[in-house]
Amino acid sequence: MKTINFEALFSASPNPYVLLDLSLNIVGMNDAYLKVTMREREDLVGRNMFEAFPSDPDTPSHRQLRNSFEKVIREKLADHIPIIEYAIPLPNGQGFEERFWSATHTPLFNHAGEMTFILQHTVDVTELQRLRVLTRSSTVPPVHSALIETDMFRRAQAVQETNQALTEERQHLRGLFEQAPGFMAALSGPDHVFTMANAAYLRLVGRDDIVGKPVRQALPEVVDQGFVELLDRVYDGGQPFVGRRIRILLAARPGGTPEEHFLDFLYQPLLGPDGMVSGIFVQGHDVTEQNRIEDALRASEARLRLAIDAGRMAIWELDAASDTLVGSPELYQLLGFAPDAQPSIEAIRARYYPGERERMQAAARDVMARGERFVEVEFRYIWPDESIRWLLLRAEMKLNPDGTPSKIVGVALDITERKRSQEALRESEQRFRLVAESAPVMLWMSDQLGKCVYLNRAQREFWEVEDADVQDFNWGPTVHLDDQEGLLASLTQAVQTHSTFTTEARFQRSDGQYRIIRSDAQPRFGSEGEFLGMIGVNVDITEARQAEKALQESEERFRVIANSIDQLIWATQPDGFHDYYNQRWYEYTGVPEGTTDGEGWNGMFHSDDQDRAWGVWRRCLETGEPYHIEYRLRHRSGEYRWVLGRAQPLRGSTGRIVRWYGSCTDIHDLKQAQEEIRRLASMLAERVAELDEANEEIQRFAYIVSHDLRAPLVNVMGFTSELEAAQAEVERFYRQVLGKDPHLVTPEARMAIEMDLPEAIGFIRSSTVKMDKLINAILKLSREGRRVLMPEPLSMRQLLEAQCQSVAHQLHGRGAELLIEAVPNLTSDRLAIEQIFGNLIDNAVKYLDSSRPGRIVVRGRDHGVSVQFEIEDNGRGIAPQDFERIFDLFRRSGVQDQQGEGIGLAHVRALVRRLGGTITVSSRLGEGSTFTVVLPKYISMTSEAA
């Protein structure tokens, strides 16, 4: 089947056609149209119809043509102009030529059913019109005139007149249609396409582009609500549908949130010429507001009944003349009686709380004295079970002509729970005021205009405002001038929108100082939801802001310092994300800034160290332990150098880690030095082992020598004792001879017996004693070198106090004092410690200066792995050249006026060294000396010192 080329057909048609868009711009035309209008295609395409063919807008022909176009656009139906007078411009600007036309305007639609173009079919009937005028004005016989006026022309004229009448009638009907108070619309065809919709209908559906669209497309939100199915039934069955109070959800705008409406409407089928349904007329009223009012009225009535039932409201009437009371059953229940009881008025009045009836009567008299008829009073009533109930009485008094009441009609309801609630509220307010007055923060309340109605004690003290003056206090001038605009803007917005606000501003305290106050406030509402004002908390955060400023300055100083030191400084977030490196890091590594952020830092390590470094870092992040590790880091030269990595967590006030700060220190040279030290240490260990072996040999030798020396010394000492005994016999004999015959004693004998012999024996005795002490000292040193150390926890204060007791007699004799200041404890060998401090304290006592009161002080300090002790005296002092000599064996310093062999300090140094410590001395002659002993805090049986 061949296809038709409609474009070619359009161009070749002998009938003039022009195509317009909906703005009446010329889109295209065929050659016949160009010929009849005497125009070129280029002059017309793209121009507006009334620009291409201008005319006076006030002329009937202009209005006729424009109205036809607007009708087609509005109704989307074809329109016909049987005859129209419209002048067209002549070529080359030669003026205008009067022409008469017959035109048809047809709407064109796209595949979506949307109107896109208007096709104008134009027929030039100028000659016919001129001929018609000519025949009417000439002597041409009527028969010939009738021949000239063809049937087509007459029909065209009649059609135009008919159309004009129909147009006026249609405009009248459309005016009525548009102004109708109810909504109206016309639907066409089985798809229910909108052909008409008045303004009320368009307002209801919230859109004005529905004409020409099916209901499903124009109002998609109603599809699932059953209205399209209802239209289908009316269209198919031909029976109207009347809906009452039908609920429908309509969007106020396309894509908007659907809103609920209630409608009364009619679907009236429209019949075509063939008697079949061709469309549906929709007419109705939006009764949403009426429905809401009726629902509210029903709800109000239900609430009233519920209130009467729940609130135990009762109705009553009192005849004043007969003093007779008539009440509903609820009244007697309200008074504590059975529902079917009929208590007398006396029985009722008997249960008034004392004084309440008199108060009620006084209230009634006051109302009548004011010329009023309505009275309301609250009173207490005692139930038969002796419980007290609060009742509210509202009544209207019917008055006699003399002003006395004839009848009283009213209601009563139980307000006991309300009274209890009021009492509870009062107590709650008292508790609030008690808490608020004792609160450490500043509390305030304002009214709807922001004026203070309450300030707690802390806030009043801040401004030095008396409680009685709060209502008249104006806090505005206390706000710093630079902060007033921002604070008042926040407060005003919160008051207007009934919302919370938080702000900071500087307020002037009563002492004139401005303090930074953070205000947090929220709206207050009454029991009915009415806005009462604001309630807020003011907190003085001056110190916090100063601390933040100091922190910022500290961070800035940190950055300056971090960039000025040799260490590589870095920092991370709590999760370990690296986000800061100092300038030294980038200088050292040579990497671009930012490339080692995050986990990029791990790629800077030697491949053999990456897993170990990452594992240690992960464990520190999990436990919060300080980070400490040695690894090889890539230098900008490409060399991997050893660095020491350290990091400490920074914790916030809650103890949570907020930052990690770390450093990298180049220890490459140190590591190499350590390797060299280990090599030298290994050599030293070998030498020490050799020395230890030599020392052991010397100790064994000293023991053997001492033992071998002691044997002849014992013989010498024994023979010396025999010589002393023989000397006594010789001296006795000498005395006898000298007494009997002095001449027998020669001077030489006298000298030998009286001087030489005692001196020789005394010299032998003193030398053997000294030799014995030396041998004992050597043996003691030898035994100490072989004794196994026994570590135990020592209380140094107790040990030193025992030492003090042992020299108390000497101290007293010299008029001296020994003070023990704070000393740390340690774990060491008790015997060795006692000998060390015993010797040092004994020496300090012996060498005090007799010219001034003696003073000896023992003090100590804990250095972690070691402890330090000082024994300070104000004695004679030691010459600098003797600082080392006094620790040598058998060496002493200064005047030798005290007993000793020069072994004590040598023994002390040997013990200190064996314990793994050191001993030094500082001194000034004539001022005193200080011996400093540094010992490990803990020694063990396996320690190197042991």
Side-chain angles (χ1 to χ4, degrees), residues 110-136:
N110 61 16
H111 294 293
E114 298 172 341
M115 180 178 172
T116 55
F117 298 104
I118 299 174
L119 180 65
Q120 183 190 67
H121 174 211
T122 305
V123 177
D124 187 349
V125 295
T126 305
E127 294 301 326
L128 289 175
Q129 177 66 12
R130 289 174 179 172
L131 185 60
R132 177 171 175 266
V133 172
L134 179 62
T135 58
R136 288 181 177 179

Side-chain angles (χ1 to χ4, degrees), residues 3 141 166 169 177 232 349 454 476 619 736 742 796 900 913:
T3 60
L166 289 175
E169 181 179 359
F177 179 79
D232 290 341
R349 288 170 176 166
Y454 171 73
R619 185 175 68 253
Q736 290 176 356
M796 288 303 295
R913 286 179 173 175

